[in-house]
Amino acid sequence: MINPKIPKIWYGGDYNPEQWDKATMDEDMRMFPLAGIDVATINVFSWARSQRDEESYDFTWLDEIMDRLAAEGIKVCLATSTGAHPAWMAKKYPDVLRVDYEGRKRKFGGRHNSCPNSPTYRKYAPLMARKLAERYKDHPALVIWHISNEYGGYCYCDNCERQFRVWLQKRYETLEKLNTVWNTGFWGHTFYDWDEIVVPNVLSEEFDGNRTFFQGISLDYRRFQSDSLLECYRLERDEIKQVTPEIPVTTNLMGFYPELDYFEWAKHMDVVSWDNYPAIDTPVSFTAMSHNLMRGLKGGQPFMLMEQTPSVQNWSPYNSAKRPGVMRLWSYQAVAHGADTVMFFQLRRSIGACEKFHGALIEHAGHEHTRVFRECAELGSELQQLGDRILDARSRARVAILYDWENRWAIELSSGPTKQLNYVDEIHKYYAALYEQNIQTDVIGVEEDLDKYDVVIAPVLYMVKPGVDERVERFVASGGTFITTFFSGIVNEHDLVTLGGYPGKLRQVTGIWAEETDALLPEQQNHMVMKQDWGPLRGSYSCGILCDVIHAETAEVLAEYGTDFYQGTPVLTRNRFGKGQAYYVASSPDAGFLRGFMSNVCEEQGIKPLLDTPAGVEVVERAKDGTSLLFIMNHNAEAMAFDAGSANQTDLLTGRPVTGHVTIPARGVMILERPAADES
Amino acid sequence: MINPKIPKIWYGGDYNPEQWDKATMDEDMRMFPLAGIDVATINVFSWARSQRDEESYDFTWLDEIMDRLAAEGIKVCLATSTGAHPAWMAKKYPDVLRVDYEGRKRKFGGRHNSCPNSPTYRKYAPLMARKLAERYKDHPALVIWHISNEYGGYCYCDNCERQFRVWLQKRYETLEKLNTVWNTGFWGHTFYDWDEIVVPNVLSEEFDGNRTFFQGISLDYRRFQSDSLLECYRLERDEIKQVTPEIPVTTNLMGFYPELDYFEWAKHMDVVSWDNYPAIDTPVSFTAMSHNLMRGLKGGQPFMLMEQTPSVQNWSPYNSAKRPGVMRLWSYQAVAHGADTVMFFQLRRSIGACEKFHGALIEHAGHEHTRVFRECAELGSELQQLGDRILDARSRARVAILYDWENRWAIELSSGPTKQLNYVDEIHKYYAALYEQNIQTDVIGVEEDLDKYDVVIAPVLYMVKPGVDERVERFVASGGTFITTFFSGIVNEHDLVTLGGYPGKLRQVTGIWAEETDALLPEQQNHMVMKQDWGPLRGSYSCGILCDVIHAETAEVLAEYGTDFYQGTPVLTRNRFGKGQAYYVASSPDAGFLRGFMSNVCEEQGIKPLLDTPAGVEVVERAKDGTSLLFIMNHNAEAMAFDAGSANQTDLLTGRPVTGHVTIPARGVMILERPAADES
Amino acid sequence: MINPKIPKIWYGGDYNPEQWDKATMDEDMRMFPLAGIDVATINVFSWARSQRDEESYDFTWLDEIMDRLAAEGIKVCLATSTGAHPAWMAKKYPDVLRVDYEGRKRKFGGRHNSCPNSPTYRKYAPLMARKLAERYKDHPALVIWHISNEYGGYCYCDNCERQFRVWLQKRYETLEKLNTVWNTGFWGHTFYDWDEIVVPNVLSEEFDGNRTFFQGISLDYRRFQSDSLLECYRLERDEIKQVTPEIPVTTNLMGFYPELDYFEWAKHMDVVSWDNYPAIDTPVSFTAMSHNLMRGLKGGQPFMLMEQTPSVQNWSPYNSAKRPGVMRLWSYQAVAHGADTVMFFQLRRSIGACEKFHGALIEHAGHEHTRVFRECAELGSELQQLGDRILDARSRARVAILYDWENRWAIELSSGPTKQLNYVDEIHKYYAALYEQNIQTDVIGVEEDLDKYDVVIAPVLYMVKPGVDERVERFVASGGTFITTFFSGIVNEHDLVTLGGYPGKLRQVTGIWAEETDALLPEQQNHMVMKQDWGPLRGSYSCGILCDVIHAETAEVLAEYGTDFYQGTPVLTRNRFGKGQAYYVASSPDAGFLRGFMSNVCEEQGIKPLLDTPAGVEVVERAKDGTSLLFIMNHNAEAMAFDAGSANQTDLLTGRPVTGHVTIPARGVMILERPAADES
């Protein structure tokens, strides 16, 4: 349980009463209970409000809010307010201001605007955290710390440049080593002094955001900036932990956000929390996968849904309203995938500035007689009824997909072979094929223990970091099924190629040699022709983006290319290795192939769908104490029928038994409680 | 009359003899009379020519030109030459150079390049105006002053930053007030010192030109820059007025140019003038609307067409030649809408630099035997024949559309709900529906007296400035018809939301509450289903961009949404209010709906089309001294037939009576003179 | 012969053993002979490796490589390594760093990064060249010098600004002259002091890369930067020539690269060399044309193919593998068009940084058992068999197309009449029409002797530089056929318009006057209607982009426009002038017209196709010592049949006679040796 003070799914969100008058807060206090709100995230952006110069702190305004919330029985997720530095600080200590990718020194403005290596920021931000911890350590409302906000963005200032050199010295010790791993012999980049190294941006090695002349430099700079921001987080956390060691600490993450290596971050967080803002065209399976990634950051531990919009966003190109029922549906989707909180940005809409058109529990109309409020209130009521029945339940998956931020950075920085390749999309293609069959899939980092799984999928594992190949080999040797794809096993952790033939360190386990990689134009495709029927796989499937031209060495060939000069050469292989097997998928297949492929692989391992449902009806399971909670969610705009089976099961939301052929309403949700199946 | 020295439609344009030798000017003097030229705009960009350092002025070259023109009977529109500062000034006084939106200090180059808050510019530009005024105050050729040229562009330099703070202090007096109206509690922006405020550009609050984190700051910066440039204009004007109080002063505006609040500017101009450069795909109705906006800046007073091209432009992506007859047609269109001058950029094509491929009366061929010259000469001859018969005639419209630059800035700066919304396009949709029915429509500012009109349309009146709501209510209460749309009544002049339910201060007069606003994707649409037939309106029409989900409170519902979750809720309402009525259009309708809607509304008020004509045949009226001048303009490439009615009317261009069924040639023009109808 | 030490087509490429260990180089030495490699380009980017500070040079590593290569019988193309300055130099002497188009001072990074007017660069680069020359002047492996690498890119720093003023003073002597030729009277740009002139970039006169407010300034800046880089080249060359006057010197050019005037450069090179990297969608005829341009730089002298990829590139958006046979085919295409070397970038793939996915003779697999190596080895073997039989053979063309970099700059900088116009595309349209008919065509500069040709084509000769018109007139008067097009004869070398009527100085020879130029939208077209059948030309053809509206003065009209207001006016004319004739093509025609037009013109001059072949089968001839070498290259992916004629001819590649109907395999090559035809 995140904090036993709220022994249910938390329900609440961001709240900024300091932007309003007392009468308005009175109204809030009247309305929150109508919606079943029990937690408020406050003080997210109030640094300037609380501290007007180096010496003067004033928390009386915050005291009042904390006390009032406590009096109303609402708990507090207390932010440290360091997500935006004060204007006076920017003016007096310009080192807090970032230099951007174009090399421009920024002025005061926006948010997330502090240089992570600014001495001023590193002095005053932890100090603020300390002051807050000391002031509120015994406050009855306090249930969790929320450090800063949505960390992100890189800086390229002189302080970062100096600290980058220090970071490099620590990592490589000698310039000789650095010259080697960055391959500086190329294009005459030999460094003779640490101070010759400059930050890689538009003024030096990079262009277009993710393109670089020197992969090694750029890759290390991403590591360094992720570490620098993490260090800012840790400095605040350390101050807090000294004062309130027992209160959990988090910061709100952002799913597949590209810039930070969240697997590293999660090590320093008590509970993972994240902000879920699907775009209008985000596939529901992508949202599901994002939840699972967040869950995977700490080995399956339940996480917090820290933010979602109750209705509309303001920052999308076209901000459509969430259709009736969708807010509830997506809230349960989060819970189904492991969230133990449902929280909104925001509880009351602001009156001015750029987020005033972002939806809120309390809209500008200011009363409870809105569709949005009504839907929130209904959900609040349901969550109260559910009590702690879901809390702390865990998910069990026998299939895992590997995802790695350093691999992603390296792929995105690669010059060639194609700009069409999108690592996260490739991950999602495999995830979606499993999702559509209601097969539980974890999304895990490369350090995770593979032996918990029967099937491990590593799409485009371009970078094989030290030890990963050995662990994959051990996993397969002892019976596991491993799947990898084209453009895998190419480089080591420095983006230096593993010589001798791709896929390098994965060559033995896959039993193939990839001689060439051909890039297809966006409108081009090749075909995967099955050598013989295999379960639902028969005939031919299209594939594209990249085509590895491979030789089966110890592997057997399951499918071949259908066209071009490598027609008839292998595109899908299986290699028996010890007690297990490794598949190599030499191109990026269409969805039909992946559905059949995943079906076959799971079938082989005896992994069954949780339930057979029509398209758009998602089924996810959490379990605790011998009880299974089967979440059935209809993402369609129409009611759907399916066979719920004959188990002894009850819908927690209605209290009624559910068996046989049932109908789930449009955007409806069921939570079937039943005895958990035996685990093999 | 702009200046009685030219008692006819002025005909001429920009002229730069100082770029040529005497022999060429001799040729010009031979050719101008062939084209009927009577006015030349000179000295537009000659600052560097006239002033070579702080102390040295040399106007002898200008004397010669002025005298020569005077000798030939050609009058002078005398520019003050401050549209581009000299290179020596940029070198010695870099404060004249702007800092751009990206924060980059510019070097010398281009034009319109001076910082409006540069002390150097503010010293030397008015001084130049004074010198010119003193030198030419009694010159017989001088008929009008033309200050600088096409003011525009913003600056972000340190001087602007300092002056912005001064401007803010004057506007808000206290930081407390400023913190309130900018809602700085959001994202921790509380200011404790005026000097903490920085200019909003890419380095601070803004991005992508018109996107911002803080609407209040950005909105005020637009006001400030518009005011700063206006102040530059006023400094020059004041110097001139001290010397030649009787000679009119203007500066050339640019229609719907986004950056300056021309309603403020026009207060300081004796006559409005503007440069009309339709793009190849500009609808003719848009040009008509632009003329009416320029006319509306000073309450209907005739304006000057200061620039148009006789043939081609150079700066469009594809610079098509104006087809035969089009130059004449568009010249008369300007006159029809209120212009008392027809002037070109330019009289002679330059030999080098970026405008050498911009058309001119005298092309590079250098003689009069060109299509362009011939067409200009024919028009010149016609204008001479017309004499003063059109001069000072006024337009009379019973319908007005409100347009407001501050509203536009606020809409464009808004983060959400859609990037598809274009304020000027929405204005134009309503204008075009009236234009196509030959219904005269004024385009006016929100300070204009509404009681002059029977129908006032305010598309997307997002920002309701103080007093506007009261004036609208008074207008309707006393019998007026008011029309507004989705996304109206949202904010006050600080872009702070009017709480309690949209459309805020327009809620009472419209009698509706807009609970939500749904943004549609570009490819999406909804439908407006008429509850019953209403004139030509029957059945269903498509609508899109934004859909307000509204509740009729005191209003009656005329049409409902045809689909989506708000199907069956109101999309068109009418509210009886006092003696009048207010319509609310909750989405952006298609052209068919708007045509019928405008037809119905005008029908109700007894407003009739000037004439019924086929598509593309525009009819516009000016009137003076009891005489109506009916301009009929065929924008089609084919001749068109129509019924000219049975009035006693004569075509001023042919001297022939015109009644009954007549045919107007392709791109032809008629000006029917007849007794003015009674005004009700 | 480039260097008699390699009396055959050179075969090799870029080689960087310093990035590897000794064992790897041992492998290289084992494998190179398997591929028939005889030349290696080394030391391209090793400046930092050889020089670690101002005083310390260390060439021992290079000695070893040179000696080892010599020992293995492989010759060396020795680069001077100045294509990228060392990091220590950037740190200590920031003047070597460029300021970019946006006005940003760059930091260390990338390559081609040195300011061409940097005193530091101009000191140390020639010094490096000198040191290398002195050290290796007698080395047996050395066969040619390769100065720097792919010169290009402009700088906008203060040093460049100062030197630009010096360059301008030298060119114009007085400011009065400069003010005249830049037409500074326009927009008040009069300069009173040389120091008022600033570099034209985004901060001053330019925008969007190639758009400017002042064509004169921008044109001169391109000349100046091309000259500045050339001066860097010359400084190095001069040092080398003092030491090794007999060894040829080159630098690798890049075909139609826009930034440098290669005609000026070639004057200072002993042999032209270039890097051929067709994009996936580059027409084969464009590659052919590029070869001919490189050949034309030095009047037809054989050139070096310095770089091509054996397999894939890394920097294209989609890097497709060269299909089997394509590398060989394109290598022979280079030879057919005049190359006496076939060289690769690169011999071994690098292990890290941005070119690690660029193909190489030795791929990452590291052995010879790859498709790429096999294909290279087969070609190497063929080239050895060919010996010197092709070497020094020359091409003979009776048709020439004029191409001029200054003309290109001026066209690209032009503001209007259309952004659709692409000079190089227009050149290519005419080239392709001849190419498809197997008619040999030279691509030459405007200084070339025209009398060598029967037909000279000058598409879009917008800028007519001094003397060019006289030389064209002399050429036509004495019997030549001259073809020019719309938008020609407009300006002089300063981009100042030639007044009196377009096409200005080409008006007499073409016998027409272009009164107007109409720009069409991309989707628009007009038509060319033949007045009567002319050879294959009959009926109507489409044309577009620009349409000159012309008057035939002394010319006869062959075709007229088919539509728009200039329907029926001339679009194709022929003017008899002396013994010859000049055609004027007033718009940009479709390919069908150009094919017929070129056929007719060649027919008139008795110029015959080398052979009639199906589409995609290219035929090119080189000849020496009375022997003709007919290269027949099938660019199709299928075998093609054609009539090889009855000549006594043998395929050099098979040794077999080839007559009558023959079949050439997909992507096949034949080199038919036969007695040269008599030249007329």
Side-chain angles (χ1 to χ4, degrees), chain A residues 84-201:
Chain A
H85 53 241
W88 64 261
M89 193 178 286
K91 180 167 177 289
K92 293 181 73 170
Y93 304 96
D95 68 282
V96 300
L97 294 164
R98 289 184 180 173
V99 167
D100 71 12
Y101 187 66
E102 314 283 328
R104 299 174 298 205
K105 181 71 169 179
R106 295 191 60 80
K107 305 177 91 166
F108 176 72
R111 58 172 183 167
H112 309 150
N113 47 15
S114 309
C115 166
N117 288 296
S118 152
T120 300
Y121 186 72
R122 289 197 169 191
K123 174 179 175 188
Y124 289 107
L127 193 53
M128 171 57 78
R130 177 106 200 173
K131 299 239 177 222
L132 289 164
E134 286 171 347
R135 190 170 194 98
Y136 299 109
K137 64 179 188 294
D138 299 321
H139 199 286
L142 179 63
V143 289
I144 192 166
W145 291 101
H146 175 298
I147 294 185
S148 194
N149 183 65
E150 292 184 348
Y151 279 101
Y154 293 166
C155 177
Y156 300 87
C157 75
D158 292 346
N159 278 322
C160 282
E161 190 162 273
R162 275 188 290 273
Q163 287 310 116
F164 183 42
R165 292 168 188 153
V166 171
W167 185 93
L168 289 169
Q169 288 186 56
K170 196 168 157 197
R171 185 175 177 90
Y172 296 119
E173 292 182 355
T174 66
L175 270 172
E176 188 182 3
K177 171 75 171 163
L178 175 139
N179 278 317
T180 300
V181 301
W182 284 0
N183 198 35
T184 57
F186 178 77
W187 283 5
H189 269 47
T190 311
F191 294 107
Y192 292 106
D193 189 302
W194 294 99
D195 288 351
E196 291 163 20
I197 298 166
V198 298
V199 297
N201 65 3

Side-chain angles (χ1 to χ4, degrees), chain B residues 350-365:
Chain B
S350 53
I351 194 174
C354 75
E355 289 184 348
K356 66 178 174 296
F357 295 122
H358 189 105
L361 171 71
I362 303 176
E363 299 277 25
H364 286 143

Side-chain angles (χ1 to χ4, degrees), chain A residues 533-636:
Chain A
D533 292 353
W534 180 30
L537 289 180
R538 52 195 63 200
S540 170
Y541 299 87
S542 69
C543 62
I545 301 179
L546 286 177
C547 293
D548 277 358
V549 181
I550 68 173
H551 303 265
E553 297 187 319
T554 58
E556 65 181 309
V557 179
L558 302 181
E560 297 173 341
Y561 284 110
T563 185
D564 220 317
F565 74 88
Y566 37 90
Q567 181 177 10
T569 67
V571 63
L572 175 67
T573 60
R574 173 171 50 204
N575 193 47
R576 309 287 176 184
F577 185 90
K579 297 181 189 164
Q581 56 193 350
Y583 291 92
Y584 191 86
V585 189
S587 185
S588 182
D590 65 21
F593 172 85
L594 285 174
R595 212 172 303 120
F597 182 35
M598 290 298 99
S599 169
N600 285 341
V601 166
C602 289
E603 179 84 15
E604 285 175 346
Q605 302 302 318
I607 303 167
K608 303 270 185 244
L610 289 168
L611 216 59
D612 281 324
T613 55
V617 178
E618 178 182 5
V619 184
V620 182
E621 189 184 42
R622 291 179 72 173
K624 71 169 178 178
D625 309 333
T627 299
S628 158
L629 300 162
L630 204 63
F631 291 75
I632 305 173
M633 295 161 286
N634 182 8
H635 293 283
N636 299 292

Side-chain angles (χ1 to χ4, degrees), chain B residues 55-108:
Chain B
E55 306 297 333
S56 314
Y57 292 85
D58 171 14
F59 295 110
T60 54
W61 69 274
L62 187 54
D63 294 346
E64 287 179 38
I65 293 168
M66 293 283 288
D67 294 348
R68 181 71 190 270
L69 288 168
E72 304 285 346
I74 294 169
K75 302 304 177 200
V76 166
C77 170
L78 187 54
T80 59
S81 80
T82 56
H85 53 240
W88 64 260
M89 193 180 286
K91 180 168 176 288
K92 293 182 74 170
Y93 304 96
D95 67 284
V96 300
L97 294 164
R98 290 184 179 172
V99 168
D100 71 11
Y101 187 65
E102 313 283 327
R104 300 173 298 205
K105 180 72 170 179
R106 295 190 61 80
K107 307 178 90 165
F108 177 73

